[in-house]
Amino acid sequence: MYKIDMLKGLPKTKRDIAKRGESKTPEIIRIAREYGEEFFDGDRKYGYGGYRYDGRWIPVAKDIVEHYKLKAGDRVLDIGCAKGFLLKDLLQVCPGLIVEGIDVSEYAIEHVEPEVKDFVRVQNATDLSEYSDGYFAAVLAINTIHNLPKEQLLATLKEIQRISSGNAYVQVDSYLTPEGKELFESWVLTAEYHDYPDGWIELFKKAGYTGGYNWTIV
Ligand SMILES: C[S@@+](CC[C@H](N)C(=O)[O-])C[C@H]1O[C@@H](n2cnc3c(N)ncnc32)[C@H](O)[C@@H]1O
């Protein structure tokens, strides 16, 4: 297991954390957790406030292809692929790659980028049993598996390890200080499980996870 920032190529965005913290209610959390139109393309209080393709994942896709030494014919799975932005850019960077994406959101899959519509489907991250051991050359789960409760998250990490042979990358919500934790908790809408880095590393170890990881820190 190793820490690596696979998203370093993304432009840094400034989040208006205080504003959402003030407006967060149980109803807003409920709506966000439906992962419907409101979460992706509704008001900012429900989630992204507009999740649109703009090519920003291309540098990330290049880094992924380089890191996992991906080539045409290799299989890549994106868990929580949303509208398929990363999959589209992976295909652009590495033509011939066999990409697959799963996401629990019907809305996201309905609005997926046309180039990858045949390679994505609605499926829960908790169900990876159809894939054989080491099936994928790389498995990615970016800001997705912290949306599962702890026991399901642990089981899913074990499955990610199994189907990727450790050629995987997970990025999850974390915080570094008690103040950071407080800020995160006032801001978070969907994450069911979160922890300090040490807690996450314990969980990764328990799952036998040997891939790459990094934190999203608000
Ligand atoms: C914060 S978004 C991240 C999307 C994309 N990976 C990215 O980094 O832009 C979280 C995604 O995980 C999906 N998701 C949440 N729970 C999931 C689950 N149990 N199984 C599969 N996808 C899930 C959501 O629908 C959403 O598309």
Side-chain angles (χ1 to χ4, degrees):
M1 160 173 61
Y2 54 95
K3 187 167 184 290
I4 181 170
D5 184 3
M6 208 58 92
L7 267 51
K8 64 180 186 302
L10 279 184
K12 302 287 168 257
T13 51
K14 205 173 171 322
R15 288 161 160 174
D16 193 355
I17 294 165
K19 198 173 164 194
R20 187 155 82 195
E22 280 161 21
S23 65
K24 201 169 94 164
T25 64
E27 179 62 0
I28 287 172
I29 292 172
R30 188 190 63 74
I31 291 172
R33 287 182 176 171
E34 288 178 350
Y35 302 109
E37 182 171 3
E38 288 89 350
F39 176 72
F40 290 97
D41 294 319
D43 190 279
R44 181 85 179 99
K45 69 183 177 195
Y46 297 115
Y48 281 103
Y51 187 78
R52 298 182 197 92
Y53 180 80
D54 60 6
R56 71 177 60 200
W57 290 91
I58 287 178
V60 176
K62 282 184 182 155
D63 286 346
I64 289 170
V65 167
E66 194 179 319
H67 180 76
Y68 295 100
K69 300 186 174 47
L70 299 175
K71 55 185 186 322
D74 285 344
R75 297 190 188 94
V76 177
L77 175 67
D78 186 8
I79 299 174
C81 64
K83 296 184 188 177
F85 301 163
L86 176 58
L87 292 175
K88 169 172 163 160
D89 290 350
L90 279 167
L91 270 183
Q92 189 172 319
V93 169
C94 186
L97 210 57
I98 302 170
V99 297
E100 276 191 50
I102 60 169
D103 200 290
V104 81
S105 166
E106 285 182 20
Y107 175 82
I109 296 300
E110 269 166 25
H111 293 82
V112 78
E113 290 295 300
E115 294 84 348
V116 293
K117 75 171 174 23
D118 293 338
F119 314 129
V120 300
R121 71 209 140 93
V122 177
Q123 185 159 317
N124 201 306
T126 53
D127 184 10
L128 301 173
S129 59
E130 75 197 77
Y131 302 116
S132 56
D133 297 2
Y135 187 77
F136 292 101
V139 173
L140 314 164
I142 298 171
N143 292 324
T144 296
I145 56 173
H146 51 216
N147 295 316
L148 296 168
K150 188 173 181 183
E151 285 312 309
Q152 288 184 20
L153 170 50
L154 182 63
T156 301
L157 269 170
K158 286 182 187 168
E159 280 292 87
I160 290 175
Q161 175 70 20
R162 184 184 65 76
I163 65 176
S164 72
S165 305
N167 294 311
Y169 179 69
V170 298
Q171 180 146 339
V172 289
D173 281 338
S174 189
Y175 26 75
L176 306 176
T177 62
E179 297 74 36
K181 182 172 193 277
E182 199 180 319
L183 184 63
F184 172 80
E185 284 174 340
S186 78
W187 175 85
V188 66
L189 293 175
T190 60
E192 298 258 7
Y193 180 81
H194 45 83
D195 208 339
Y196 291 97
D198 284 356
W200 275 114
I201 287 168
E202 273 307 301
L203 199 69
F204 294 157
K205 278 189 191 152
K206 206 171 166 191
Y209 180 70
T210 62
Y213 64 84
N214 199 17
W215 325 121
T216 297
I217 310 264
V218 293

